[in-house]
Amino acid sequence: MNETKLWTKDFIITSTINFLLTSVFYLLVVIVAVYAKTEFHATTSQAGLATGIFIIATLIGRLFIGRGINSIGYKRTLLIGTCLFALSSFLYFIQLNIWFFLVVRFLHGLTLGIAGTATGTIVAQVIPNSRKGEGIGYYSMSSTLATAIGPFIGLLLSQHVSFLIVFGLCTLLGIIAFITSFFIQVTEPEEVKKAEKDVKGFKLSNFIEPKAIPISFIMLIAALCYSGVLSFMNFYAQEIGLVEASSFFFFVYSIAILCSRPFSGRLLDVKGPNYVMYPAFILFSIGLIVLSAAHNSFVLLFSGVLIGLGYGNMQSCIQAVAVKVTTIHRMGLATSTFFIFLDAGLGFGPYLLGFIEPYTTYSQLYFSLSFVVLATVILYFFLHGRKVKNFQ
């Protein structure tokens, strides 16, 4: 077997499962608030909680499964996660009240945290070490596709079919992910099999990987800045009168990532993370400035390309670094740590930025966030950039 081969059966299957799981998340995220208001006459805050509680639960799931994935086993964790993910999808058909719906959302998010950490850990294991950056770049493209396809399908179906049919599709995708999980063959290193004794007792290092915290903290700040784009784009588009063009924003954002990831991933492996991260910071910052000045469709969509090239490549690069800086038997915890910080930025970002928004325009908010991104360059240099010598 070629030890440097990237596109193996296990790599493709794991990426497919990640695509299915992430698609369900993004498919539902654009309709659950409307569903909560329509079906249960929920308040605006309750409807918002229906979205936020899923992300919080995902974070909790990652936090606890990161500790247990070594003793449970990578594949068994994936099977448990995808099975529970599919089963919790069935609960959407039980329409009792808003509080039961929030419990269902919490359980569904918890199972995504388990399954998502398993796929991230498995893929880090099956990718050859010399092609780690390139491989994780391709793998994370499955999430990128889901961010474009999921919301599109969700909005399209919600306009033409009942919510129950949408929930049925999500359940079907969950079942497919579970069945597909059986076909993965992952060999866990001896270091992992001997690692159980390292996670005894209640210590912080048993839940997160300390070596991955510095680079993951950079991810948290970047994700917080991006959450302003993700959450407030529709409001901003209404403010500047570009609602129709804004529906294509995340499409061009995804295309920019898909086109650049093969090159940025290879650059990461050959030259190291600094050659990807510093340009990504600059592109992300410029993208936010261009977005803040958008006055027509072209400028708005061009900002989507720049943010995709910046933030999109930053995300896959940081994930690869988080895995690289730790030992093999702590890889599950490193993957979990990366996603905990990512989810925290995306989940709590809109809430924190919501305190600023009443005192400024969305344009001014995006312009201000561009300087936060630039300031993070200095933080990256001291936390990781200056220590980089060789990524191999």
Side-chain angles (χ1 to χ4, degrees):
M1 180 180 173
N2 186 357
E3 292 185 0
T4 61
K5 185 179 180 183
L6 178 60
W7 292 95
T8 60
K9 182 198 70 167
D10 293 326
F11 178 80
I12 293 169
I13 292 175
T14 307
S15 299
T16 301
I17 293 169
N18 184 62
F19 170 74
L20 293 171
L21 297 174
T22 312
S23 291
V24 171
F25 165 65
Y26 281 103
L27 193 157
L28 290 175
V29 81
V30 295
I31 69 164
V32 289
V34 176
Y35 172 75
K37 279 193 167 188
T38 304
E39 189 64 34
F40 304 117
H41 308 291
T43 63
T44 302
S45 61
Q46 287 173 334
L49 186 58
T51 301
I53 200 170
F54 187 101
I55 297 173
I56 293 167
T58 301
L59 193 153
I60 294 170
R62 292 191 194 282
L63 188 64
F64 284 93
I65 203 60
R67 169 182 178 161
I69 192 168
N70 286 340
S71 55
I72 297 169
Y74 295 172
K75 183 174 180 178
R76 189 179 298 171
T77 301
L78 179 61
L79 288 169
I80 292 170
T82 51
C83 179
L84 293 175
F85 185 83
L87 289 174
S88 59
S89 300
F90 279 106
L91 296 176
Y92 285 109
F93 293 100
I94 304 174
Q95 300 170 304
L96 296 180
N97 53 48
I98 182 62
W99 302 111
F100 180 78
F101 182 64
L102 290 175
V103 170
V104 173
R105 291 289 292 162
F106 183 86
L107 291 173
H108 205 199
L110 204 65
T111 61
L112 179 64
I114 295 170
T117 300
T119 56
T121 305
I122 290 171
V123 86
Q125 174 61 29
V126 301
I127 295 171
N129 206 46
S130 62
R131 302 184 70 180
K132 198 73 80 181
E134 183 185 8
I136 288 179
Y138 278 121
Y139 166 75
S140 55
M141 280 167 63
S142 61
S143 295
T144 305
L145 279 172
T147 63
I149 295 172
F152 175 75
I153 294 175
L155 291 171
L156 185 68
L157 290 179
S158 65
Q159 293 168 12
H160 297 97
V161 299
S162 71
F163 285 111
L164 290 180
I165 292 177
V166 178
F167 296 146
L169 174 62
C170 292
T171 304
L172 177 63
L173 294 177
I175 292 170
I176 293 171
F178 173 59
I179 294 171
T180 309
S181 301
F182 282 96
F183 296 97
I184 290 177
Q185 299 295 328
V186 58
T187 304
E188 293 167 31
E190 286 300 315
E191 294 96 321
V192 171
K193 295 175 183 177
K194 296 174 183 175
E196 284 84 347
K197 62 178 181 292
D198 293 340
V199 291
K200 295 287 173 65
F202 195 90
K203 296 186 297 184
L204 184 63
S205 60
N206 290 343
F207 294 90
I208 58 175
E209 170 51 56
K211 291 180 181 177
I213 289 176
I215 193 67
S216 297
F217 185 70
I218 301 298
M219 186 71 260
L220 184 146
I221 298 173
L224 189 148
C225 294
Y226 178 67
S227 74
V229 179
L230 199 60
S231 301
F232 302 138
M233 175 54 67
N234 285 339
F235 299 113
Y236 179 53
Q238 291 170 14
E239 188 179 272
I240 60 176
L242 293 173
V243 176
E244 190 175 344
S246 70
S247 62
F248 293 96
F249 180 89
F250 293 105
F251 177 76
V252 298
Y253 163 86
S254 301
I255 293 298
I257 298 174
L258 290 173
C259 292
S260 62
R261 279 270 169 88
F263 305 103
S264 63
R266 195 68 197 133
L267 184 64
L268 172 61
D269 286 326
V270 174
K271 292 288 189 177
N274 289 349
Y275 283 80
V276 177
M277 289 296 292
Y278 289 126
F281 277 120
I282 294 168
L283 287 166
F284 188 14
S285 181
I286 293 173
L288 287 169
I289 293 172
V290 172
L291 178 61
S292 72
H295 58 276
N296 59 43
S297 300
F298 174 79
V299 175
L300 182 74
L301 297 180
F302 180 59
S303 72
V305 172
L306 292 173
I307 292 171
L309 293 173
Y311 174 79
N313 285 302
M314 193 183 295
Q315 184 178 328
S316 64
C317 179
I318 292 175
Q319 184 179 354
V321 171
V323 170
K324 276 276 193 176
V325 296
T326 190
T327 54
I328 288 178
H329 78 276
R330 304 274 298 179
M331 206 156 53
L333 279 172
T335 302
S336 173
T337 302
F338 164 79
F339 280 110
I340 285 168
F341 279 76
L342 172 63
D343 290 343
L346 292 177
F348 294 109
Y351 179 73
L352 295 173
L353 295 175
F355 286 109
I356 303 171
E357 186 273 325
Y359 304 100
T360 183
T361 64
Y362 290 110
S363 176
Q364 291 167 341
L365 178 64
Y366 291 138
F367 187 75
S368 301
L369 287 174
S370 71
F371 289 97
V372 175
V373 172
L374 279 181
T376 311
V377 173
I378 301 169
L379 193 61
Y380 168 78
F381 171 76
F382 284 106
L383 290 179
H384 186 78
R386 65 193 176 103
K387 303 172 189 175
V388 174
K389 291 180 181 178
N390 193 345
F391 197 61
Q392 294 302 324

